[in-house]
Amino acid sequence: MAKKIFVIVENLNVDKSSGARVNYAMVSNLVAIGYDIRVLHYSHKEIQIRNIDIFRIHEKRFNLWYVLGGLVRIIARYTGLNMNAFIENFFGFSFTFFNDIKSIKAGILRHKNFKPDLLITLSQGASYRTHYAVLQIPELHKIWLAYFHDPYPFHLYPRPYNWVQPGYRRKERFIAQIADYARCFGFPSKLLMEWMGSYFPKLKEIGFVIPHQNELFSKGKGTKVPDYFAKEKFTLLHAGNLMKQRSPHALIEAFQYFLEQIPQARKDSQLLLVGPADYYSDYLYQKGREIPQLLIKNSNLPFAEVYQLQMEASVNIILESNSEISPFLPGKFPHCIQADKPILLLSPYYSETLRLLGNDYSFWSEADNTRRITGLLKDMYLGWKKNSTDFRLNRPDLLKYVGIEHFKKEIGDVIRFVEQNFKV
């Protein structure tokens, strides 16, 4: 009989965020490797995944937390006064957060008749609502794998992402409680497990590296690329949110120098930036006017369209912050591996992506090194020009790493660990 796994996840809407996409992929592949899965999600819309019993958690209303959360929003709307900083300094979290926890906990308790062998809570970015809800249900702790998508709280992020949130001490105690009560922990990257383990040693001691998945039921398959994408050109694609900490300045300047140094590339090259970029909108607008080969789509495109762009691009770009370390595994990493196109990696030397690609990977630079990036663009263009058909990443080892067989092994190891270390 197949082992039963109960998954509690905040969001599975693949068009909402990269966090939701990686959660969707993991849930999909749990079924593909043969487990009996039940999923609860708090996505605020109906989600269906083939061959999965999936249930939407509905927000609870007409209770004190809901009323207080609504009152805070009304005050902010009409007075401009945001009370959440004061509230979080006192309670640790917002009133809306506590109502979400109440809603998720109620959803979980409706499934008491389901007797899983393993419970997995999946975070989304800096939101750990599902973890908080399970903390309040002690009978589930004995089979609990708490998965950390990113560091938390924000003052434990590496620079330049770190900042001190209101209620940071309570938030840190919350993670300490997870470390005390969960049976084991999951991380998409080895560096993230080590990073969080430096603050909470138990997270590393009984942690498992379970990388983001290349889901079998990808929503991108069969979608046509948009008209602005020229398949015949040397196309460099960055797909993702250009947050404040991910500056595209050096990349764009390097692309401009590359076109100046190889003039013939002007007619058959393009740099495509897809995804929200509001922080850089003025700069991108200016550069878009200067460089006709620079195409900017400053919006959240449907995941199916972005996925297909990644499959068709000549080069996929992974852009990280200018920092000492980047312990994150980007959610798009499995798609870039699946595309089998060279990756232009712009990251710190100590990054999970470079660790996986290898320290001798040819097309890597720190994100602010314009001169080196220019050289890499020239090398990549000349390689593509010589033989575009064979211009590929060619990393079957990484395809296996983000694939289903490795995932099956990791989940099997987790279940065996839980069974061996918990006595009924």
Side-chain angles (χ1 to χ4, degrees):
M1 183 179 295
K3 297 288 186 181
K4 295 181 178 181
I5 299 180
F6 196 15
V7 183
I8 318 296
V9 56
E10 185 169 340
N11 200 327
L12 287 173
N13 182 359
V14 297
D15 291 325
K16 188 73 173 178
S17 69
S18 62
R21 287 192 285 276
V22 297
N23 289 340
Y24 183 100
M26 181 178 290
V27 168
S28 297
N29 278 2
L30 283 171
V31 170
I33 60 180
Y35 290 105
D36 181 3
I37 308 298
R38 181 171 296 189
V39 177
L40 267 65
H41 69 98
Y42 196 52
S43 304
H44 300 291
K45 67 172 289 187
E46 296 299 332
I47 304 289
Q48 297 298 324
I49 305 178
R50 188 171 60 183
N51 299 326
I52 296 180
D53 289 331
I54 185 166
F55 302 87
R56 176 186 166 192
I57 300 169
H58 293 271
E59 182 182 24
K60 292 185 74 67
R61 303 188 177 192
F62 310 113
N63 62 76
L64 182 60
W65 293 124
Y66 180 82
V67 171
L68 290 174
L71 183 61
V72 168
R73 289 192 295 273
I74 290 171
I75 292 172
R77 184 183 306 138
Y78 289 103
T79 69
L81 177 64
N82 188 345
M83 298 175 60
N84 274 328
F86 170 79
I87 293 166
E88 291 187 33
N89 274 324
F90 190 80
F91 292 99
F93 300 91
S94 69
F95 294 144
T96 298
F97 176 92
F98 286 118
N99 187 61
D100 292 339
I101 300 310
K102 187 180 182 70
S103 303
I104 294 169
K105 180 181 177 182
I108 295 171
L109 293 176
R110 291 191 189 98
H111 293 264
K112 276 192 169 183
N113 291 333
F114 186 67
K115 304 297 181 183
D117 299 284
L118 180 68
L119 168 74
I120 302 175
T121 51
L122 297 177
S123 66
Q124 177 184 280
S127 178
Y128 286 79
R129 285 166 168 79
T130 58
H131 296 58
Y132 200 111
V134 170
L135 269 178
Q136 300 184 12
I137 311 176
E139 59 267 31
L140 294 177
H141 296 172
K142 60 191 177 185
I143 56 169
W144 182 16
L145 167 71
Y147 192 86
F148 286 76
H149 178 274
D150 282 324
Y152 189 84
F154 268 104
H155 67 282
L156 302 185
Y157 268 68
R159 292 179 295 179
Y161 295 96
N162 59 320
W163 62 287
V164 178
Q165 296 169 275
Y168 72 96
R169 292 187 185 277
R170 289 181 180 270
K171 290 177 170 69
E172 190 170 322
R173 284 199 294 270
F174 159 52
I175 300 300
Q177 286 182 301
I178 296 175
D180 285 339
Y181 291 111
R183 184 61 51 190
C184 55
F185 313 95
F187 300 87
S189 91
K190 181 175 181 289
L191 285 187
L192 179 58
M193 182 175 70
E194 292 173 348
W195 181 269
M196 288 299 291
S198 68
Y199 298 102
F200 306 96
K202 197 174 176 183
L203 298 186
K204 181 180 177 182
E205 292 168 9
I206 51 177
F208 293 82
V209 179
I210 305 172
H212 298 319
Q213 294 296 291
N214 221 351
E215 73 273 27
L216 296 182
F217 312 126
S218 174
K219 287 181 173 289
K221 293 179 180 177
T223 303
K224 293 181 179 180
V225 295
D227 293 339
Y228 56 78
F229 180 87
K231 288 186 179 182
E232 72 281 0
K233 290 187 176 183
F234 174 67
T235 302
L236 300 135
L237 170 68
H238 178 268
N241 191 351
L242 286 177
M243 298 185 295
K244 179 181 178 180
Q245 298 86 353
R246 296 178 188 160
S247 171
H249 284 77
L251 170 63
I252 293 173
E253 299 294 333
F255 182 67
Q256 196 166 15
Y257 292 143
F258 152 69
L259 295 176
E260 292 172 358
Q261 294 175 22
I262 306 183
Q264 63 266 34
R266 295 178 185 273
K267 68 180 186 303
D268 60 359
S269 301
Q270 61 180 180
L271 172 59
L272 178 57
L273 306 181
V274 171
D278 291 343
Y279 185 82
Y280 298 102
S281 57
D282 292 342
Y283 170 77
L284 293 176
Y285 176 75
Q286 173 192 337
K287 284 297 181 181
R289 291 170 62 99
E290 293 178 17
I291 311 171
Q293 296 84 0
L294 175 61
L295 304 179
I296 300 160
K297 300 297 175 183
N298 182 5
S299 62
N300 249 329
L301 298 182
F303 170 58
E305 185 174 313
V306 174
Y307 177 90
Q308 200 59 35
L309 286 171
Q310 290 173 319
M311 296 303 109
E312 299 285 353
S314 309
V315 173
N316 280 301
I317 300 171
I318 293 179
L319 172 62
E320 302 190 275
S321 65
N322 182 30
S323 177
E324 296 175 359
I325 186 171
S326 179
F328 317 98
L329 182 66
K332 64 182 176 182
F333 180 78
H335 305 141
C336 294
I337 299 301
Q338 178 67 33
D340 194 26
K341 306 295 176 63
I343 294 171
L344 177 59
L345 174 61
L346 308 178
S347 77
Y349 179 79
Y350 296 105
S351 76
E352 180 70 5
T353 305
L354 184 58
R355 186 188 76 83
L356 293 174
L357 289 170
N359 291 338
D360 59 348
Y361 181 68
S362 300
F363 302 125
W364 164 78
S365 170
E366 292 183 319
D368 63 344
N369 192 335
T370 304
R371 182 175 180 179
R372 176 167 171 79
I373 297 170
T374 303
L376 293 179
L377 293 178
K378 290 163 65 176
D379 292 344
M380 297 182 101
Y381 174 77
L382 294 174
W384 172 84
K385 195 74 172 175
K386 182 178 180 181
N387 191 338
S388 61
T389 303
D390 289 336
F391 188 63
R392 299 195 173 277
L393 182 63
N394 192 26
R395 290 296 298 270
D397 59 322
L398 293 180
L399 195 59
K400 182 178 180 180
Y401 182 71
V402 297
I404 198 163
E405 288 304 317
H406 182 70
F407 183 54
K408 183 176 182 178
K409 176 188 176 301
E410 290 300 316
I411 296 298
D413 288 347
V414 169
I415 290 178
R416 281 188 291 274
F417 176 84
V418 169
E419 291 177 340
Q420 291 168 7
N421 289 276
F422 170 67
K423 306 298 183 182
V424 179

